[in-house]
Amino acid sequence: MGASAPIPFASRRPPRDDDRTMRHAHRRIPVNAMSTRIAVIGAGVMGADHARILASEVAGAVLQVVCDQDAERAEAVAEATGAVHAATDAAATVIREDVDAVLIASPDKTHAALTIAAIERGKPVLCEKPLAPTSAEAWPVIEAEVRAGRRLVQVGFMRRFDPPYRDMRAAVEAGALGRPMLMHNVHRNVETPFAWFTADMAITNSAPHEFDIARFVLGSEFRAMSAFKPQRDGERIPPVFMVLETEAGQLVNVEINNNAAYGYDVRGELVFEKGSVLLNAAAPTRTYADFKSYEPYAPDWRDRFAEAYRRQAMAWLRSIETGRPSDIAANAWDGFCATFVAEAGVAALAGGGRVPITYPAKPALYGPA
Ligand code: ISE
């Protein structure tokens, strides 16, 4: 006998109050606090983790709907997180009357259209990176926000909320170490999720985190990009190595190694004129045994950046309650820039040599040019 069939959505009776209380019984946050009813679109690895965070760690969040085109997956995550409803139609979920805000963690190619649908209904959005797979697909999101006349979009570059990166940015703002000159970034995954993951995808899928955090920490824009890759045996892609130049004369290098094998390992160091700040993401434990000692590595980003995801979600809820966008979170312009820079990286890797980066004019909605 296969897995029990999901409850047909048409026959799902609306939850009674006691159901809601019951299904939220495990929550540490009283449902009757000032609440924002949130739909999570996409119940895969990221969507399920976002749903868990919203349901159990963020005051003011009510997980109203978990939506996924796979009905069983939607139902399973809704059940596991105590969501009020499960659904399968993303576009219909965005416009539901009982949804105040939307977190988009569906496949990348759906991000822009769902974000625009939310903007057009005045609903705040937290869109997982990337805002869109290409800058041409991301630009209509910028246009939609400009038409709306207010910033409703937060993009999921959660490292901005990671305490060590916040310390790096604070060191830049303090100025005590002089000018930041170089930023070294290492981003290693255990292995590519599938054998046909390409070097270009390393740049467009993983590297945008480095592009965004460097912009955030340095407060500088990029003006050129160079990209290289070494030889690797076998069918798995080799690392990609990029060197970016900023308009402030700084250099940022990025190693993306999606097949590092040993663990999920993100490193960074910001080098100033009078010192440096190293990302010292200490492992939770060190084990001493068998005449050796060792520290564990996380298998993927969810554990390493758990605090950052939590803080990101909290900042999003605060921005919704206050109506003031977070001054830390990435906005739609930042999301556009990350994709735009990734496209320069793909062009550079294709043999474009040093590729200039010239952004389009930044709309006033996103601050001074
Ligand atoms: C993934 O989408 C992420 O956001 C992770 O932070 C990153 O390490 C991984 O390479 C991406 O695929």
Side-chain angles (χ1 to χ4, degrees):
M1 177 78 171
S4 59
I7 304 168
F9 297 100
S11 64
R12 282 173 65 87
R13 60 173 171 72
R16 298 190 308 274
D17 284 349
D18 58 342
D19 272 14
R20 275 227 306 261
T21 308
M22 176 189 71
R23 294 186 70 168
H24 294 293
H26 65 286
R27 288 167 61 101
R28 297 199 303 270
I29 301 136
V31 175
N32 58 3
M34 178 184 172
S35 297
T36 300
R37 299 166 300 176
I38 297 168
V40 171
I41 313 281
V45 164
M46 280 315 307
D49 207 41
H50 283 301
R52 175 191 61 77
I53 293 167
L54 290 170
S56 59
E57 299 189 24
V58 179
V62 172
L63 187 56
Q64 188 73 6
V65 186
V66 172
C67 175
D68 194 282
Q69 59 187 0
D70 177 332
E72 279 196 28
R73 192 158 75 171
E75 183 63 32
V77 172
E79 200 62 39
T81 55
V84 180
H85 300 286
T88 56
D89 182 328
T93 297
V94 169
I95 61 176
R96 284 172 66 130
E97 290 299 318
D98 63 344
V99 168
D100 304 313
V102 183
L103 190 152
I104 298 169
S106 44
D108 296 357
K109 63 182 185 300
T110 66
H111 289 186
L114 292 172
T115 299
I116 291 168
I119 292 169
E120 289 174 347
R121 281 161 188 81
K123 295 189 180 183
V125 186
L126 173 51
C127 178
E128 254 298 340
K129 44 71 67 182
L131 183 61
T134 65
S135 58
E137 293 169 273
W139 190 254
V141 177
I142 301 287
E143 291 176 324
E145 263 198 328
V146 169
R147 283 196 303 273
R150 58 185 172 140
R151 287 180 15 213
L152 287 165
V153 179
Q154 186 173 312
V155 179
F157 288 116
M158 79 293 168
R159 293 197 193 175
R160 292 169 172 235
F161 295 92
D162 189 46
Y165 281 114
R166 301 289 311 283
D167 292 348
M168 267 191 186
R169 178 176 159 106
V172 172
E173 290 169 342
L177 297 178
R179 275 175 62 82
M181 302 181 292
L182 291 167
M183 187 174 183
H184 304 300
N185 302 280
V186 169
H187 180 156
R188 297 175 179 161
N189 294 80
V190 174
E191 63 175 359
T192 48
F194 28 77
W196 46 271
F197 193 94
T198 64
D200 285 358
M201 292 170 81
I203 297 173
T204 60
N205 180 282
S206 302
H209 278 297
E210 313 301 331
F211 303 150
D212 179 73
I213 200 63
R215 283 182 70 240
F216 176 69
V217 166
L218 293 171
S220 312
E221 293 302 348
F222 297 121
R223 69 178 176 196
M225 152 90 82
S226 304
F228 314 88
K229 63 181 178 182
Q231 292 302 312
R232 177 185 174 119
D233 295 336
E235 80 287 353
R236 294 277 174 175
I237 59 162
V240 176
F241 187 80
M242 291 163 273
V243 178
L244 296 107
E245 302 160 55
T246 75
E247 290 172 352
Q250 298 139 337
L251 292 178
V252 174
N253 66 55
V254 176
E255 171 203 325
I256 301 287
N257 183 353
N258 293 104
N259 290 295
Y262 67 87
Y264 184 74
D265 187 5
V266 170
R267 306 180 191 183
E269 182 173 13
L270 192 50
V271 182
F272 297 79
E273 293 165 323
K274 293 183 275 184
S276 81
V277 176
L278 179 72
L279 203 62
N280 196 25
T285 59
R286 170 172 283 275
T287 300
Y288 297 83
D290 305 324
F291 301 96
K292 60 178 179 289
S293 73
Y294 55 90
E295 293 179 354
Y297 274 98
D300 67 37
W301 54 91
R302 286 169 294 174
D303 287 348
R304 164 62 185 80
F305 288 110
E307 179 62 11
Y309 279 112
R310 195 179 66 81
R311 291 184 184 207
Q312 171 184 254
M314 289 171 67
W316 185 48
L317 263 292
R318 296 301 82 78
S319 73
I320 292 169
E321 290 163 358
T322 60
R324 283 195 309 275
S326 162
D327 56 9
I328 294 171
N331 58 38
W333 174 256
D334 297 313
F336 170 82
C337 289
T339 298
F340 193 76
V341 172
E343 287 170 348
V346 169
L349 189 64
R354 177 179 179 277
V355 173
I357 297 171
T358 309
Y359 303 99
K362 177 165 72 173
L365 184 67
Y366 302 103

